[in-house]
Amino acid sequence: GENVEQHPSTLSVQEGDSAVIKCTYSDSASNYFPWYKQELGKGPQLIIDIRSNVGEKKDQRIAVTLNKTAKHFSLHITETQPEDSAVYFCAASIPRASGGSYIPTFGRGTSLIVHP
Amino acid sequence: DAGVTQSPTHLIKTRGQQVTLRCSPKSGHDTVSWYQQALGQGPQFIFQYYEEEERQRGNFPDRFSGHQFPNYSSELNVNALLLGDSALYLCASRETGGAGNTIYFGEGSWLTVV
């Protein structure tokens, strides 16, 4: 099955700095890569996703890049703010042969701390 | 538009007991998945339900079972609880056949086994 590695486990930055979280996946058949933000005591919330036919996607201060050859993808947050503090999870999904149902495999998460 | 709702939010059970967790999917969604998230870990896939049938299952023992109702809501049942079952249980829903593969999570049910 798919295996997703995520680094770093903890990331501490000053407000206004950029933050980068990196993930690698093992199965080259994976073609959908969502990122989730989980605040304390809440469920994960999708913040951005990318499909394998795209190398980069941007949404305001967040961007995701994908390198299919190297099987790694990254989340970039610019101009970080204290409210960006949360745990971020990457995931990779392999399309199923029947029904096309995607079951994402998650990384272990990165705790991002943004200091005011 | 209500998102994914789960109940209860917190509960405490004793080893050996049984627990039932409930989930209502996001409006318009017909596929429900359950995940277990241990402290400091990412969500682990338990199983997925569509058309009232279990369609896919992760690496969880038979003590974990589920059900989906005609209105697409779902239950997760765990029998013979172990201390290691203590975790946040997340329900996620998606629209099968929709343009995207996005799943939406609920807030979760915190289960503590003592």
Side-chain angles (χ1 to χ4, degrees), chain A residues 79-97:
Chain A
E79 301 173 22
T80 53
Q81 301 167 4
E83 51 265 38
D84 293 330
S85 296
V87 179
Y88 291 80
F89 292 96
C90 63
S93 294
I94 304 171
R96 302 290 172 173

Side-chain angles (χ1 to χ4, degrees), chain A residues 19 43 67 78 81 91 99-100 116:
Chain A
N67 184 327
T78 59
Q81 301 167 4

Side-chain angles (χ1 to χ4, degrees), chain A residues 8-60:
Chain A
S9 56
T10 304
L11 181 57
S12 183
V13 300
Q14 288 295 129
E15 182 177 0
D17 287 350
S18 294
V20 180
I21 301 171
K22 299 181 178 181
C23 290
T24 61
Y25 60 99
S26 61
D27 196 323
S28 57
S30 289
N31 64 358
Y32 175 62
F33 307 90
W35 286 86
Y36 287 84
K37 175 184 180 181
Q38 187 173 28
E39 298 177 336
L40 197 62
K42 295 188 176 182
Q45 180 181 13
L46 179 76
I47 55 172
I48 195 168
D49 57 11
I50 191 168
R51 289 170 172 77
S52 59
N53 59 345
V54 176
E56 184 174 356
K57 184 177 179 180
K58 189 173 182 180
D59 183 6
Q60 299 183 338

Side-chain angles (χ1 to χ4, degrees), chain A residues 62-77:
Chain A
I62 60 173
V64 58
T65 58
L66 171 65
N67 184 327
K68 285 211 71 179
T69 303
K71 290 190 282 190
H72 68 69
F73 55 114
S74 301
L75 178 70
H76 304 252
I77 306 174

